[in-house]
Amino acid sequence: MKIRARLIYALVISVVVVTFTQSQVLEIDEEFETVTCGSALKLTHSPSGYKLHSHSISYGTGSGQQSVTGLPNSDDPDSLWIVKGSIGKNCLRGEKIKCGDSIRLQHAGTEKFLHSHYHRSPLSNQQEVSAFDGLDSGDNWKLVCINTSSSYWFREQKVRLMHVETSSYLSANSEMVYNNPIHGQIEVAASSSNDKNTEWIAQEGIYFAERINS
């Protein structure tokens, strides 16, 4: 496991507080309401309660890239995703994510990015979602805030993630359950419909305090 992933896991387990500057603090703290760049978080699928998850297991069909699933366990570190700017955008640590922003989510354990393309998903035959290290525009997702009065991405509020290249929404379905080797995990795909199955909530994680420009 790479050094960065080890550091993240150590932070999660020991709940360490690390000071970077007077205006930027990395903590697990309930007072941090907004999702910020550089934070490592878990995304919960609202209807099922499963966590967006990945691991070093590739799809046996479609792209053959690293699979992305929904995991029922809440304490697995392989469900941590680091918030980054879209391709070509410098997203500074602690910068708040606005509704409508394009972002990337990097899997903390394998350092690959949440990705989609026109391959078909293995169970529902929708659009496949994978984790990929190709560093291209297929990694870009637009944040869609369901609460139209919100200007920023807030923890514990439902949002959608729309794949920028294909306009499909990150989706999961608790009825689409895998067998071995990922028994009990559910399929994550991209859907053309923005229904209940496309609703996600930012919950547990390591959040950077809001950046204060000096």
Side-chain angles (χ1 to χ4, degrees), residues 87-105:
I87 292 287
K89 180 184 176 184
N90 184 22
C91 190
L92 299 175
R93 181 187 299 156
E95 183 179 335
K96 295 193 294 184
I97 306 297
K98 297 179 182 177
C99 300
D101 278 352
S102 290
I103 61 168
R104 291 177 296 158
L105 292 174

Side-chain angles (χ1 to χ4, degrees), residues 71-83:
L71 185 74
N73 306 334
S74 62
D75 58 350
D76 193 310
D78 272 336
S79 299
L80 276 171
W81 299 83
I82 303 167
V83 181

Side-chain angles (χ1 to χ4, degrees), residues 13-198:
I13 293 168
S14 58
V15 198
V16 173
V17 178
V18 181
T19 302
F20 289 88
T21 69
Q22 289 184 344
S23 63
Q24 295 181 50
V25 178
L26 179 63
E27 297 180 334
I28 300 180
D29 195 321
E30 292 302 321
E31 24 179 86
F32 294 167
E33 295 183 352
T34 54
V35 177
T36 54
C37 290
S39 298
L41 53 81
K42 294 184 179 181
L43 276 177
T44 302
H45 182 237
S46 177
S48 68
Y50 283 60
K51 304 294 182 181
L52 185 69
H53 181 82
S54 193
H55 38 228
S56 298
I57 299 174
S58 300
Y59 287 118
T61 61
S63 68
Q65 293 171 8
Q66 183 172 303
S67 59
V68 172
T69 64
L71 185 74
N73 306 334
S74 62
D75 58 350
D76 193 310
D78 272 336
S79 299
L80 276 171
W81 299 83
I82 303 167
V83 181
K84 299 208 167 187
S86 59
I87 292 287
K89 180 184 176 184
N90 184 22
C91 190
L92 299 175
R93 181 187 299 156
E95 183 179 335
K96 295 193 294 184
I97 306 297
K98 297 179 182 177
C99 300
D101 278 352
S102 290
I103 61 168
R104 291 177 296 158
L105 292 174
Q106 186 179 33
H107 186 242
T110 62
E111 299 187 353
K112 295 185 179 182
F113 287 90
L114 187 70
H115 183 87
S116 193
H117 37 224
Y118 287 111
H119 291 281
R120 309 317 300 172
S121 62
L123 299 184
S124 64
N125 201 36
Q126 297 187 94
Q127 188 173 304
E128 184 189 271
V129 170
S130 65
F132 186 53
D133 56 4
L135 300 178
D136 61 38
S137 56
D139 302 339
N140 292 337
W141 298 83
K142 179 181 177 180
L143 179 73
V144 179
C145 297
I146 295 174
N147 183 350
T148 55
S149 65
S150 295
S151 299
Y152 296 96
W153 188 1
F154 287 100
R155 294 171 59 182
E156 302 295 337
Q157 286 194 4
K158 295 177 183 178
V159 297
R160 293 187 173 96
L161 290 169
M162 187 185 77
H163 189 241
V164 173
E165 280 196 340
T166 63
S167 299
S168 293
Y169 296 89
L170 187 69
S171 177
N173 189 329
S174 59
E175 296 180 0
M176 298 291 170
V177 184
Y178 287 108
N179 291 314
N180 292 330
I182 48 177
H183 179 76
Q185 298 181 37
I186 63 173
E187 181 186 76
V188 170
S191 171
S192 58
S193 302
N194 58 348
D195 56 16
K196 288 286 185 182
N197 281 332
T198 63

